[in-house]
Amino acid sequence: MQKKVKTCYQQLPIMTKKLLYLFLLIGSLGIAQDTDTQFRFSPSVDYKINKKWKVGLDYRYALEKDISTFQASVFQLSGEYKINKKISLEAGYRYTTSFENDNQRLFASFIYDYKIKKFTLSSRTRYQFSTPYFNATYWNEFKEPNQYLRQKFTVDYNIPKSKASVYFSPEIFIKMEDGEFKYHRTRYQLGSDYKLKFGNTVGVSVMYEDKLNPTKTDRFVITTKYNLSLDELFKKPKSKEEKAKKKKKKD
C-alpha cells in the first residue's frame, strides 16, 4: 500500500507537488496559531443556456472545530448574464442550515475578467443580504440583517500543456454596522483546478480568514470541489453524431 501511494505521488506534476506541500505548510501554521481548521466538500453543477445566460446549483457540506464537528449544509442557486467577453452580472439565493440555526442570503455581483495569454485576472464586487427570516418585524425586534460588500481579486494561471490551473484570490469584507460600512475581515485563498473529460472538473483549495475582532476567531479552511458542466457533457454526443453524419455524406 505504501509503495502504491509513493508511486502515485512520484507521477504527480511538479506544480501539483508544490501545491500539496504548500497546503500542508499553511495548515501546520494555522494549527500552530490555534486557528480553527475547517473542511468543506463542494459539489456543483451548471448549465450554459446560450452565449449570454448561465445557471448553477451548488451544495456545500462543512465541518468545523478542527474537522471534528458538523458546521452547516449550504444550498445555492445562481444565474449569470454575460454582457460581453469581459463583463458579467450574477445574482443568486443561498440557504444555510445547521443544528443551531438556519439562514438565508440574497446576493448580486459584478464580475470583470481580463485574459493575458495563460493568465486570467478577475475582479468580483458583491453585495449580500443575509437573514434567518425575510420579515421586517423580526428585523426590528430581534436581529437586523447582515449586509456586506465583498471585493475579490483573482489571478488564475493555466499551466502550459496541462488541463490544470492554479489561482490566488484575496477578498475583502466590508460590513454595514450602525448605518456605516466598516472593514470586517479578509480572506486569502490558494487553489488548483483540473479539467477532466465531458465537462467534469475537480479542485482543491486552502483559505485563511483573518477577522478583525478582539477574540481573533480566525479560521483555516480546506475545500475539495467537484463541478459538472452540463453543456460540456451534452456537447460530446452531438459532436460524435456530426462526425458520423459527415462520414455518411462522404461515403
Side-chain angles (χ1 to χ4, degrees):
M1 184 67 180
Q2 291 180 349
K3 289 183 179 179
K4 288 183 179 180
V5 174
K6 186 176 181 181
T7 303
C8 292
Y9 177 78
Q10 291 173 343
Q11 292 176 351
L12 291 173
I14 295 176
M15 181 62 71
T16 304
K17 291 179 181 178
K18 289 181 178 179
L19 281 171
L20 288 172
Y21 175 76
L22 189 56
F23 293 158
L24 293 172
L25 179 62
I26 296 174
S28 63
L29 289 174
I31 294 170
Q33 295 173 355
D34 198 27
T35 298
D36 185 27
T37 302
Q38 301 179 4
F39 174 79
R40 294 175 177 176
F41 172 60
S42 299
S44 62
V45 60
D46 60 58
Y47 180 67
K48 190 176 181 180
I49 301 172
N50 50 43
K51 292 182 179 180
K52 294 289 187 179
W53 288 96
K54 180 180 178 181
V55 293
L57 179 65
D58 299 66
Y59 172 73
R60 177 196 298 168
Y61 181 82
L63 302 173
E64 62 179 350
K65 297 180 181 177
D66 295 331
I67 319 181
S68 64
T69 305
F70 171 76
Q71 182 187 41
S73 282
V74 181
F75 302 86
Q76 179 173 298
L77 179 65
S78 63
E80 184 177 332
Y81 177 74
K82 201 171 187 65
I83 298 175
N84 53 45
K85 291 182 178 180
K86 296 179 180 179
I87 300 174
S88 302
L89 298 177
E90 179 190 35
Y93 168 79
R94 173 181 291 191
Y95 178 74
T96 302
T97 180
S98 67
F99 293 136
E100 297 180 357
N101 52 57
D102 299 335
N103 197 45
Q104 301 181 78
R105 176 187 298 178
L106 297 174
F107 63 89
S109 307
F110 175 85
I111 304 169
Y112 180 84
D113 297 322
Y114 184 74
K115 293 185 178 181
I116 308 174
K117 294 182 178 180
K118 294 292 182 179
F119 288 91
T120 300
L121 308 179
S122 301
S123 169
R124 188 190 73 185
T125 305
R126 170 175 289 182
Y127 167 76
Q128 67 182 43
F129 181 98
S130 303
T131 178
Y133 306 101
F134 289 101
N135 185 302
T137 303
Y138 175 84
W139 300 342
N140 293 328
E141 296 182 7
F142 296 97
K143 185 180 180 181
E144 293 184 354
N146 286 327
Q147 299 182 67
Y148 283 93
L149 281 177
R150 298 167 55 172
Q151 180 58 56
K152 183 177 183 179
F153 299 100
T154 302
V155 179
D156 188 288
Y157 176 67
N158 290 319
I159 301 172
K161 299 180 181 180
S162 172
K163 295 181 180 180
S165 63
V166 293
Y167 60 89
F168 174 71
S169 57
E171 183 174 16
I172 300 170
F173 286 67
I174 307 296
K175 185 177 182 180
M176 177 174 277
E177 293 181 338
D178 302 324
E180 297 181 358
F181 282 103
K182 301 177 182 179
Y183 171 76
H184 188 258
R185 64 185 187 272
T186 301
R187 285 180 180 175
Y188 304 93
Q189 189 171 28
L190 176 67
S192 176
D193 292 331
Y194 188 85
K195 292 184 178 180
L196 303 171
K197 293 181 178 180
F198 310 119
N200 293 276
T201 302
V202 293
V204 61
S205 68
V206 290
M207 183 263 287
Y208 177 71
E209 187 169 75
D210 184 13
K211 290 188 177 182
L212 183 66
N213 57 25
T215 56
K216 288 301 290 178
T217 53
D218 299 342
R219 58 179 179 166
F220 170 77
V221 183
I222 303 169
T223 302
T224 57
K225 301 181 294 180
Y226 167 74
N227 174 259
L228 174 61
S229 181
L230 293 178
D231 52 291
E232 291 293 327
L233 176 66
F234 296 151
K235 192 183 294 182
K236 293 296 178 179
K238 290 182 180 179
S239 62
K240 288 180 180 179
E241 288 175 5
E242 289 174 358
K243 287 180 180 179
K245 288 179 180 179
K246 287 181 180 180
K247 285 183 179 180
K248 287 182 179 179
K249 287 180 180 180
K250 287 181 180 179
D251 295 340

